[in-house]
Amino acid sequence: YEISLGLVGSEMCIRDSPTTALAATYPDSVRVYNANGDIKSLSDKQYLAANSDTAVQDGYNGTQTYVARYDQSSGTLYLKDYHGVAADGQIYADGDLNIEVEGDSSFTTSLSSATNKLYGIQANGTLTISGSGTLTVSATGKGNVYGIYAKEGVTIAAPLAVTVKKNNTEETGPVYGIYTESGAISLSGADKTITATGGKGPAYGVYNEAQTSSAGSSNITIRGKLTVSPSNGTFNCGIYTGSGSTITLDAATLSIQSGFDCGIYNNNGKVVIKNSPDVTLNSDKSSRYGIWTNYGGDLTIENSTVKVSADGLAAEIKGNVSIKDSTVDLTRTSSNYEVIRTGNSSAANTIDLSGSGSVTLTALG
C-alpha cells in the first residue's frame, strides 16, 4: 500500500491506495532433453510433443499433446509423462523455476568420465515442484552429484523419488539428494524417497548449505512422508542444515535407515518434532549419532512418536531438551552408559519431561 500524508484544514489525513506489485521475472527458456539425450530448449509456449521428438513445436494454445512445455509468464515447466535422458546434462533454468508434474515423469542423467559437477534438475533461483504425478530423478556421476539443486530455496509438494550415486565407491566428491545453496527447504504432501549412495565423499539426503538464519533462509521443514537412505560415503547424513536454522518435522512420517553417520544434523540450531506419528532413525554404523545439534540448538518433541537407534549417542544436543506428550524410545546399541547428552554446563542446559507419554532410554551392553 502507498501512504500519503496531507493537511486538510488543521487535520492530518492518511489515505491508502493499492499499488501495482512488481511482476516476477522468469527465464526466457528452460533446457530439457528428449529420450535420446538431445538438448531441447523450450521458450515461451514451446513444447515437446513426444519423448522421441527431435524438434520442439511453437505456439501451444491448450489443444496440443505434449510431454513437456514451458509457460514463461508463470515460469512453469509442465511435465506430462515426460521421460528424458542426458549424459552430463540437466533440466536447467537460469533463474526461478516452477515445475508442474501432470503425469508420472522421469529424468536420468549420468557422467562416467570427467569430475565435473552433475545435476539432475538445476534452478539458479528458487525451485518449486508441485502436481499429482510422480517425478523420478536419477543422477550418477564421478564428481559432485546433485539430484535436485536450487540456489535460493526448494519447495516440493509433488510425489518424488530421487536417486544420486557414484559410478563406483572409489570416486571422490559428495552426493546430494536435495540441495540448496541458500533459502529454505520445504517438503510436504505426497510421499518422497531419497537414496544417496556415496564413494570417497559424503552422502546427504536433504542438504541446506546456508550459514545464516536470516528470515528463515536456512530452515528445513518436512510434512508428510519422507524416506531417506544415505550410505557408503565418508559421512552419511539424512537431513543436514547450516548454522542458525531450524529443522522442523510437522505432522511428518520420517524414516532414515541404513548406515548413516548422523540421521538429523543441525550445525547450530534447533530440531523440532511435533504432531508426527512416526519418526524412525536407525543406523548401526560405529560411534555415530541419531540427532545431533553440533554447536548449539535445542531438541523439542511434542505430541509425537520417535524411535532412534544408533551405535553412538541417540541424541547429542548442545542446548536444551524438551519432550512432552510423546512416546520416545532412544537406544544406544554400543557398550556405553550414555544414550542422550545435552551441553556440558548444567546451569545452562535442561531436560524437561512433562505432560503424558513415555520416554525410554536403552543402553545395550
Side-chain angles (χ1 to χ4, degrees):
Y1 284 86
E2 183 183 78
I3 298 177
S4 60
L5 303 178
L7 292 178
V8 180
S10 61
E11 297 179 352
M12 179 176 288
C13 175
I14 298 179
R15 173 177 56 86
D16 64 340
S17 58
T19 59
T20 303
L22 294 176
T25 302
Y26 296 110
D28 293 336
S29 63
V30 175
R31 181 194 305 162
V32 298
Y33 289 76
N34 68 5
N36 298 318
D38 294 329
I39 299 174
K40 303 299 168 192
S41 180
L42 298 179
S43 299
D44 186 34
K45 293 184 171 50
Q46 287 189 326
Y47 62 97
L48 186 67
N51 290 302
S52 59
D53 281 4
T54 58
V56 300
Q57 308 298 319
D58 296 322
Y60 178 79
N61 61 15
T63 63
Q64 300 94 332
T65 299
Y66 63 89
V67 295
R69 68 179 178 90
Y70 180 57
D71 177 67
Q72 187 183 1
S73 65
S74 62
T76 303
L77 173 66
Y78 294 87
L79 302 179
K80 192 172 185 179
D81 302 318
Y82 164 79
H83 301 290
V85 177
D88 190 16
Q90 67 266 20
I91 295 176
Y92 174 77
D94 190 14
D96 297 340
L97 177 63
N98 301 313
I99 296 178
E100 183 75 15
V101 189
E102 298 178 310
D104 292 349
S105 299
S106 67
F107 180 69
T108 301
T109 184
S110 60
L111 179 61
S112 60
S113 56
T115 57
N116 300 339
K117 295 179 180 180
L118 181 69
Y119 305 86
I121 298 175
Q122 179 184 5
N124 284 343
T126 60
L127 175 64
T128 300
I129 303 175
S130 58
S132 58
T134 299
L135 178 60
T136 301
V137 179
S138 178
T140 304
K142 189 174 182 180
N144 296 11
V145 180
Y146 305 82
I148 304 287
Y149 172 100
K151 190 173 183 179
E152 298 174 359
V154 179
T155 300
I156 303 176
L160 179 71
V162 177
T163 299
V164 288
K165 60 183 179 179
K166 297 301 216 176
N167 296 295
N168 60 72
T169 57
E170 296 301 310
E171 293 176 342
T172 59
V175 298
Y176 306 90
I178 297 174
Y179 174 101
T180 188
E181 186 175 323
S182 66
I185 295 176
S186 175
L187 308 179
S188 64
D191 294 359
K192 296 168 182 60
T193 61
I194 301 172
T195 303
T197 306
K200 289 187 173 181
Y204 300 100
V206 180
Y207 187 98
N208 195 323
E209 177 71 26
Q211 297 300 310
T212 174
S213 62
S214 174
S217 62
S218 58
N219 292 344
I220 296 176
T221 303
I222 296 171
R223 300 179 178 90
K225 184 177 181 180
L226 172 65
T227 302
V228 184
S229 299
S231 62
N232 284 23
T234 54
F235 180 82
N236 309 318
C237 186
I239 300 171
Y240 176 106
T241 191
S243 294
S245 61
T246 300
I247 296 173
T248 301
L249 309 181
D250 185 1
T253 297
L254 173 68
S255 175
I256 304 178
Q257 304 290 332
S258 71
F260 61 72
D261 292 88
C262 191
I264 297 175
Y265 178 102
N266 194 328
N267 191 49
N268 185 15
K270 299 177 182 179
V271 174
V272 177
I273 303 172
K274 58 184 180 180
N275 306 317
S276 295
D278 185 2
V279 175
T280 302
L281 315 180
N282 184 15
S283 174
D284 57 4
K285 194 166 184 179
S286 178
S287 302
R288 305 313 286 169
Y289 306 95
I291 302 173
W292 189 9
T293 60
N294 193 25
Y295 291 107
D298 301 338
L299 170 63
T300 300
I301 301 175
E302 296 181 354
N303 190 33
S304 298
T305 298
V306 178
K307 296 180 180 179
V308 180
S309 177
D311 183 76
L313 285 161
E316 179 163 9
I317 308 302
K318 296 296 173 65
N320 303 314
V321 174
S322 174
I323 301 175
K324 299 181 179 182
D325 302 325
S326 298
T327 300
V328 177
D329 190 340
L330 305 179
T331 299
R332 183 165 186 168
T333 59
S334 62
S335 181
N336 195 294
Y337 61 90
E338 273 190 304
V339 178
I340 181 171
R341 179 192 298 166
T342 66
N344 292 329
S345 173
S346 60
N349 298 104
T350 63
I351 296 177
D352 176 14
L353 309 179
S354 59
S356 62
S358 67
V359 177
T360 302
L361 306 180
T362 304
L364 299 181

